[in-house]
Amino acid sequence: MTTSATIVKTASDLHRQDLAGTHKRTEVESQAPSEDTLRAYDRDGYVILKGLLSPIVRQTAERALRDLLGPTGRNNFEGFNTQRAYALLAKTRALDPLVAHPQILGMLKARLHAEPLLSACLAINIGPGEAPQIAHADDGFYPDMRPDARHGLSVIWAFDPFTTENGATRAWPGSHLWPADREPSNSDDWRPAVMEPGDALVFHGGLWHAGGENTTTDGRLALTAQYCAPWLRTQENMSLSTPPEIVRTLDAPLPSLLGYQIHPPFMGHVNGMHPNRLLDQS
Ligand SMILES: O=C(O)CCC(=O)C(=O)O
């Protein structure tokens, strides 16, 4: 029997080829963003995509999130009056259509990477009395905050109307272009991401933002899905929090988003092989 060996001729070939035992690929539907959407994202560092979900998808996702909400936060970043829930893709299938929404995949392809990783996926219910969250950039977890770095892209899905009063996410327009050592001042030059349920705030990982103050008597429920380039470490350890028995049941691109992918030439291999081989085993 003859086997065909892969020959790598140059170092740059290494960055183009998957050398870890390739695996069949499934084409995934994504929807390219409009020029206006990309212009707003590039200028402000964020854009609100409106009405992306059908009522049934939105209501099913909302029900699942409300059932899964955990206790209030352990620190002021999580929020002492804010409930969160993590490891969501191990717990429900109701969020799959949001995490892999064709318009979000289109934004990822256009502005981050065609095969990103899901870095975090959590519910955030900002409760009455919550103080404003400390401003931060999601890429701030990585040491390199160059404005042109493509580390991450985050999405916040609204399940309640987002208002200035109930804790709409605060965004500092253009802050994704700030130099690495600049932080928001106290002058409050933020804008609230006012949204309706089913809208999605899509933002650059370098954008300074924060959960808002909730001065109302009701919660403000959101799902946030944060994506990173495939060569970076994810915030949630997705391949440990979502067991292979579950990943095996998921449609593309969810396994890839959860780490079942190779970034050329070898990143992410398991025993020298493409991680999807694990899913092939019964
Ligand atoms: O809930 C929000 O509006 C933003 C929360 C946030 O940015 C975070 O917790 O990292």
Side-chain angles (χ1 to χ4, degrees), residues 220-238:
R220 188 234 63 183
L221 181 63
L223 169 73
T224 177
Q226 304 175 12
Y227 306 81
C228 67
W231 53 85
L232 291 169
R233 183 157 192 213
T234 58
Q235 288 179 58
E236 286 190 65
N237 197 327
M238 295 295 181

Side-chain angles (χ1 to χ4, degrees), residues 88-263:
L88 296 176
L89 295 192
K91 299 174 182 167
T92 175
R93 297 280 53 82
L95 309 173
D96 297 359
L98 285 74
V99 172
H101 192 286
Q103 290 203 42
I104 301 301
L105 297 179
M107 282 299 295
L108 287 164
K109 203 167 167 182
R111 285 297 179 263
L112 183 64
H113 197 279
E115 295 188 50
L117 293 171
L118 184 65
S119 179
C121 184
L122 56 143
I124 304 179
N125 189 33
I126 297 186
E130 185 58 271
Q133 190 185 36
I134 186 160
H136 61 283
D138 291 342
D139 282 0
F141 299 116
Y142 302 115
D144 175 6
M145 276 284 285
R146 272 176 303 122
D148 60 344
R150 288 193 179 190
H151 291 331
L153 181 151
S154 297
V155 181
I156 295 182
W157 291 93
F159 286 93
D160 287 308
F162 271 35
T163 65
T164 310
E165 293 73 34
N166 76 358
T169 310
R170 298 175 172 189
W172 277 259
S175 58
H176 62 306
L177 303 174
W178 290 356
D181 56 358
R182 179 168 169 196
E183 296 189 9
S185 64
N186 288 330
S187 60
D188 291 345
D189 40 3
W190 48 269
R191 282 196 214 135
V194 172
M195 296 197 275
E196 291 300 320
D199 294 351
L201 168 68
V202 180
F203 57 103
H204 187 289
L207 183 83
W208 287 86
H209 67 282
E213 176 181 27
N214 188 346
T215 57
T216 73
T217 50
D218 297 314
R220 188 234 63 183
L221 181 63
L223 169 73
T224 177
Q226 304 175 12
Y227 306 81
C228 67
W231 53 85
L232 291 169
R233 183 157 192 213
T234 58
Q235 288 179 58
E236 286 190 65
N237 197 327
M238 295 295 181
S239 42
L240 286 179
S241 61
T242 319
E245 301 77 62
I246 290 180
V247 181
R248 194 174 282 130
T249 67
L250 304 182
D251 291 330
L254 288 162
S256 173
L257 286 169
L258 291 171
Y260 286 74
Q261 59 155 272
I262 292 291
H263 177 65

